[in-house]
Amino acid sequence: MNILERYAAMEYDAAPEARNEADAWLAGRDFGKALFIGGEWKAAAGGKTFETSEPATGKLLAKISDAGDADIDAAVAAAAKALPKWSAQSGYARAKVLYAIGRAMQRHQRLFAALESIDNGKPIRESRDIDVPLAIRHFIHHAGWAQSLDKEFPDHKPVGVVGQIIPWNFPLLMLAWKIAPALAAGCTVVLKPAEYTPLTAILFAEICERAGVPKGVVNIVPGGPDAGAAIVNHPGVQKIAFTGSSEVGKIIRKATAGSGKKLSLELGGKSAFIVFEDADLDSAVEGLVDGIWFNQGQVCCAGSRLLVQEGISDAFIAKVKTRMGRLRVGSPLDKNTDIGPLVDKTQLDRVSGLVAEGAKQGAECWQPDCPLPSAGYFYLPTLATGVSPANILAQEEVFGPVLAAMTFRSTEEAIELANNTRYGLAASVWSENINLALHAAPQIKAGVIWVNGTNMFDAACGFGGYRESGFGREGGREGMFEYLAAKLPLGSVIKPATIDRVTERAETDGIGIDRTAKLFIGGKQVRPDGNYSLAIADRKGKLAGEVGLGSRKDIRDAVSAARGAKAWAEATGYNRSQVLYFLAENLAARADEFAARLVQLTGATAKAAREEVELSIERLFSFAGMADKFEGRVHAPPARAVTLALHEPVGVIGIVAPDEAPLLGLISLAAPALAMGNTVVAVPSQKHALLATDLYQVIEYSDVPGGAINIVTGKHAELAAVLAKHDDVDGLWCVADADTCKLVEAESIGNLKRVWTSGGKNVDWSSDLVAGDAFLRRAVEVKNVWVPYGD
């Protein structure tokens, strides 16, 4: 046998990671006292425990304290007690603590890696080379944010006590993603790890002791769903950060409605892996292995939908099958293992069931011929071909090592297929033509796009999704905003809107012609679908005029018009700025008329009315000027890549404008949304709606494209609820009474739209904070596009 024959015949032998240190740690710890509350280890007040098992063998690892309501109360109380002192510390003092955590984790990183693989089942190469180093990176990176907080985030304060709930697929890494920015911002934390994988969170709590984290700043409370619900519903928690399924995310959104809690959700995904015909196929295959079989496919951003151009599909699928046949399935502690076990039998049954259903729906499911270990929750890597876009394997998040393959002919079809999902977390684009890749990336509705790569993460670069993949970002500058608050100046409580009966008409000069105020939809004045009107009173309670009484059908028409106004989002920031400048110019030409209308309707003094009009014009000017200046960033992660943090419009934004400062409030909300390329469906002041109808002509001769802004007059509570429930509305801003604000938050769960409310209070619309970037940030999605370079 010659040397080449010997080389070809070589087989990898087992290369097990030593587990003696992890086993010694497990044997030496009292897991009956595994709650870390106020710097002390405690048993659950109710004495309950739950079991955590090793996925590779099914054997019991430990019985862990199961936190109940009393334990969550204690943890929140400890966090609240520690908050004033921790948030008042200098950024430098907090930075030193974060740095100490990172360094302590480095000293114990091999133990973290082994424990993670034992508890979760992921291959040791992944936990050792990816999860643990990246977790450490987050703490050291955020030490820098802590020290530069006052300079980089002026006028922002820590949001307060934060409740954090993390999943089982990346137990340590998700902990780092959440705790590091929270501590940097000056918040204190109550974190619940997943009941399947609590061990590295318990070890992390030991690290906090060693690193000098003040008591109560970090509280770790292992437990089940009841513990998570107690955190979500606790009145002492000011923010909830959740990573998990979209179904649970919707439950949390509804549970927190009207509570005033800040909320960030990082949820499921069904990410597209797009391979164009000019791609380096061998590289794309290796990327695909990382994209879908990394962590057994138990990854929210897994590239589980393969879209390959038709001309190369046969060759590419053949390469994929060959590569799948060489994947090693086995012990997660073997350094040669590619695919370990699923986390639990429940997950194994779910994956098996979805694959069976996909096959029943017409998919052809193929698995390589390789042996599986006799024990544990192992599942073979699976390739499903002949998958229709409606197949369950193309639409549902399997969360297992299952790849659904489809073909496309043109770039347009690839983008359409990529966006044919209710999710929008990530996507991967493969092409040797960088122009093609960067042409496709902005059109894919996902928060993260990897060009010729996949599963690239860094603490400096934001991560998060669109649509039902949640909202908010983790990592980077945008991730810091999730733990900071710059509260707009709120005023008096808004009372629920009422309909006054108005019969006597206000006095006129006798020469005017009766005006019919319609709705404004798609650039045209149209009658309300129901042909009903709403009486508008003047300052003396007499009839000033009537406006159309908008209905659900009118909102549907307005949303359809807004969705169809694609040219507005595609226009350059410079072009949008010119339109908004022109709108300000034309409003200024009719300033006397609008000031008189304000006096007539609101009873404001002539001086106050004039000031509101002038400030409305100035606000339009201000946001026009920012249309081409509120831009994204370029990040330089510690890799051979640049990350483009692009600002993209949210989409269709619904606006429920206030009765107080009815002109200025409407413009202060609509202008930043329009400046960033969104289209708007606005419900103006219910009480003073004639001010909005007077704007129609100004809009019409200001070059605003039809559908960019639509105005539907009517009853606030009814129309706000319709906007909240409409799945083609991407964002909703609501200034209304507390019940209406709570309603729109609760009803927004259909598509998890981005909702901001004033919490039932008026806003000081004259404040400089309103004219700043508060609404500009709400008007954009941040898409992180990773572009590697070099050979």
Side-chain angles (χ1 to χ4, degrees):
M1 182 181 287
N2 62 36
I3 190 68
L4 290 177
E5 290 171 331
R6 289 179 182 278
Y7 178 80
M10 279 198 304
E11 286 288 336
Y12 285 104
D13 199 359
E17 171 77 14
R19 58 177 294 166
N20 54 303
E21 292 291 338
D23 287 335
W25 183 83
L26 286 165
R29 161 157 277 292
D30 179 7
F31 290 102
K33 293 182 178 180
L35 307 184
F36 186 65
I37 298 174
E40 298 178 2
W41 293 99
K42 299 181 178 181
K48 292 175 63 178
T49 62
F50 65 91
E51 296 181 349
T52 183
S53 300
E54 186 172 0
T57 63
K59 293 180 181 178
L60 177 68
L61 289 171
K63 292 183 178 181
I64 312 290
S65 304
D66 189 355
D69 289 354
D71 304 304
I72 300 305
D73 285 342
V76 173
K81 182 179 179 181
L83 179 65
K85 188 174 181 180
W86 177 249
S87 61
Q89 284 194 2
S90 69
Y92 175 51
R94 291 199 300 274
K96 288 191 293 183
V97 171
L98 283 158
Y99 182 78
I101 292 173
R103 284 300 191 216
M105 290 176 72
Q106 281 182 328
R107 292 193 292 272
H108 298 277
Q109 59 185 355
R110 203 70 179 213
L111 174 59
F112 270 113
L115 200 58
E116 194 81 319
S117 291
I118 291 169
D119 198 22
N120 169 273
K122 65 176 59 190
I124 186 66
R125 286 187 294 114
E126 295 176 8
S127 52
R128 181 196 65 199
D129 299 342
I130 299 172
D131 292 32
V132 176
L134 190 51
I136 294 166
R137 157 91 171 133
H138 271 264
F139 283 100
I140 294 177
H141 173 82
H142 282 89
W145 279 126
Q147 193 164 359
S148 60
L149 203 66
D150 292 339
K151 180 182 73 173
E152 295 293 332
F153 301 93
D155 302 318
H156 286 73
K157 302 295 181 185
V159 72
V161 175
V162 178
Q164 301 176 327
I165 303 169
I166 59 173
W168 45 259
N169 57 337
F170 290 92
L172 182 66
L173 186 54
M174 293 296 100
L175 176 151
W177 279 20
K178 286 181 167 51
I179 290 183
L183 298 192
C187 300
T188 54
V189 167
V190 177
L191 179 137
K192 188 195 88 67
E195 57 268 41
Y196 287 153
T197 53
L199 297 182
T200 48
I202 296 169
L203 176 58
F204 175 80
E206 293 182 1
I207 292 294
C208 288
E209 287 184 297
R210 298 173 188 175
V213 178
K215 293 181 177 181
V217 170
V218 173
N219 304 273
I220 307 292
V221 283
D226 289 345
I231 292 172
V232 168
N233 295 315
H234 202 289
V237 172
Q238 284 78 51
K239 173 184 165 61
I240 297 294
F242 172 77
T243 296
S245 71
S246 297
E247 291 73 23
V248 176
K250 291 180 179 182
I251 292 170
I252 292 173
R253 166 72 282 186
K254 195 160 191 174
T256 57
S259 67
K261 290 185 173 76
K262 195 169 185 178
L263 181 63
S264 57
L265 301 173
E266 197 266 279
L267 307 176
K270 196 69 185 172
S271 301
F273 190 101
I274 306 171
V275 183
F276 287 101
E277 60 188 1
D278 66 343
D280 179 336
L281 299 191
D282 291 329
S283 295
V285 168
E286 292 306 310
L288 186 62
V289 169
D290 288 337
I292 181 57
W293 293 300
F294 174 59
N295 196 20
Q296 295 73 258
Q298 298 172 132
V299 184
C300 53
C301 56
S304 55
R305 289 186 299 143
L306 170 62
L307 309 179
V308 57
Q309 199 149 17
E310 200 168 88
I312 59 166
S313 61
D314 290 344
F316 190 75
I317 293 297
K319 286 177 178 287
V320 171
K321 287 183 176 180
T322 299
R323 185 66 176 86
M324 289 174 68
R326 294 173 181 159
L327 294 172
R328 295 172 65 93
V329 181
S331 167
L333 289 180
D334 186 339
K335 300 180 184 71
N336 296 319
T337 292
D338 297 303
I339 297 178
L342 298 178
V343 74
D344 185 78
K345 186 178 185 303
T346 303
Q347 186 65 13
L348 178 62
D349 292 343
R350 169 183 162 79
V351 172
S352 301
L354 286 170
V355 171
E357 181 60 29
K360 191 182 298 183
Q361 294 179 8
E364 183 178 330
C365 297
W366 181 88
Q367 295 175 327
D369 183 17
C370 62
L372 286 178
S374 57
Y377 312 123
F378 291 89
Y379 193 84
L380 283 172
T382 302
L383 171 65
T385 54
V387 177
S388 71
N391 189 291
I392 194 170
L393 296 179
Q395 290 298 323
E396 294 299 323
E397 186 178 33
V398 178
F399 227 60
V402 180
L403 176 65
M406 292 171 277
T407 62
F408 65 89
R409 294 180 179 178
S410 65
T411 303
E412 292 72 23
E413 185 182 4
I415 292 166
E416 186 176 356
L417 285 170
N419 291 334
N420 181 35
T421 174
R422 67 182 187 274
Y423 299 109
L425 188 53
S428 187
V429 179
W430 290 78
S431 172
E432 289 296 279
N433 184 344
I434 192 64
N435 292 327
L436 173 59
L438 293 180
H439 168 72
Q443 299 181 68
I444 300 170
K445 296 300 180 185
V448 180
I449 308 290
W450 295 298
V451 174
N452 292 333
T454 191
N455 282 335
M456 291 183 278
F457 310 102
D458 187 63
C461 307
F463 180 87
Y466 293 10
R467 298 174 169 173
E468 290 189 36
S469 290
F471 46 78
R473 294 292 183 265
E474 296 188 284
R477 183 182 182 84
E478 53 266 38
M480 283 300 301
F481 278 116
E482 299 299 329
Y483 294 93
L484 295 167
K487 293 185 178 179
L488 293 172
L490 300 179
S492 58
V493 172
I494 300 175
K495 296 179 180 179
T498 57
I499 304 298
D500 298 323
R501 184 172 178 81
V502 182
T503 55
E504 183 181 357
R505 189 171 186 89
E507 295 180 6
T508 65
D509 56 15
I511 60 172
I513 298 175
D514 187 76
R515 294 176 60 186
T516 299
K518 301 178 182 178
L519 312 181
F520 190 70
I521 297 175
K524 300 177 181 178
Q525 298 188 43
V526 298
R527 295 184 186 279
D529 179 71
N531 278 318
Y532 284 100
S533 296
L534 181 67
I536 303 298
D538 69 2
R539 66 186 186 279
K540 297 179 180 179
K542 296 182 179 181
L543 183 67
E546 294 175 300
V547 297
L549 184 61
S551 66
R552 180 173 58 184
K553 175 63 164 59
D554 299 309
I555 292 290
R556 282 167 44 198
D557 291 344
V559 172
S560 179
R563 182 64 64 188
K566 300 182 185 299
W568 183 249
E570 294 169 357
T572 65
Y574 176 54
N575 286 341
R576 292 197 299 270
S577 74
Q578 290 183 87
V579 171
L580 291 174
Y581 277 133
F582 196 27
L583 189 62
E585 176 186 332
N586 290 325
L587 180 59
R590 296 174 59 177
D592 292 342
E593 175 188 333
F594 278 89
R597 181 68 99 174
L598 275 167
V599 171
Q600 177 200 14
L601 296 177
T602 69
T605 65
K607 179 182 178 182
R610 187 71 191 199
E611 287 175 350
E612 181 172 342
V613 174
E614 291 296 337
L615 193 50
S616 299
I617 297 165
E618 181 182 332
R619 193 71 35 93
L620 275 171
F621 237 65
S622 172
F623 287 120
M626 292 305 297
D628 60 353
K629 298 176 185 64
F630 190 72
E631 300 172 311
R633 291 171 173 254
V634 177
H635 300 304
R640 294 167 63 85
V642 293
T643 307
L644 312 176
L646 306 178
H647 282 179
E648 295 187 342
V650 170
V652 176
I653 294 182
I655 288 174
V656 181
D659 285 333
E660 189 175 87
L663 179 64
L664 179 58
L666 174 61
I667 286 176
S668 295
L669 292 168
L674 291 169
M676 294 297 100
N678 300 281
T679 54
V680 168
V681 177
V683 178
S685 163
Q686 177 176 317
K687 189 174 182 181
H688 309 306
L690 287 172
L691 273 162
T693 65
D694 289 348
L695 276 174
Y696 296 171
Q697 290 182 345
V698 179
I699 295 170
E700 285 172 328
Y701 54 70
S702 297
D703 295 339
V704 179
I709 182 167
N710 307 270
I711 299 175
V712 179
T713 54
K715 299 176 183 177
H716 267 188
E718 292 180 9
L719 299 181
V722 176
L723 284 168
K725 293 176 184 177
H726 201 304
D727 285 350
D728 244 5
V729 174
D730 304 297
L732 178 57
W733 303 346
C734 180
V735 183
D737 62 275
D739 287 343
T740 300
C741 290
K742 180 178 180 179
L743 175 70
V744 299
E745 290 179 347
E747 296 292 355
S748 69
I749 63 172
N751 67 341
L752 284 172
K753 58 177 61 66
R754 285 84 175 116
V755 176
W756 171 83
T757 77
S758 66
K761 292 187 177 181
N762 283 304
V763 175
D764 179 4
W765 297 105
S766 63
S767 168
D768 289 341
L769 292 175
V770 175
D773 66 2
F775 286 108
L776 289 171
R777 280 192 290 106
R778 294 186 179 96
V780 297
E781 293 276 20
V782 181
K783 172 181 286 183
N784 282 271
V785 180
W786 288 70
V787 184
Y789 56 82
D791 294 333

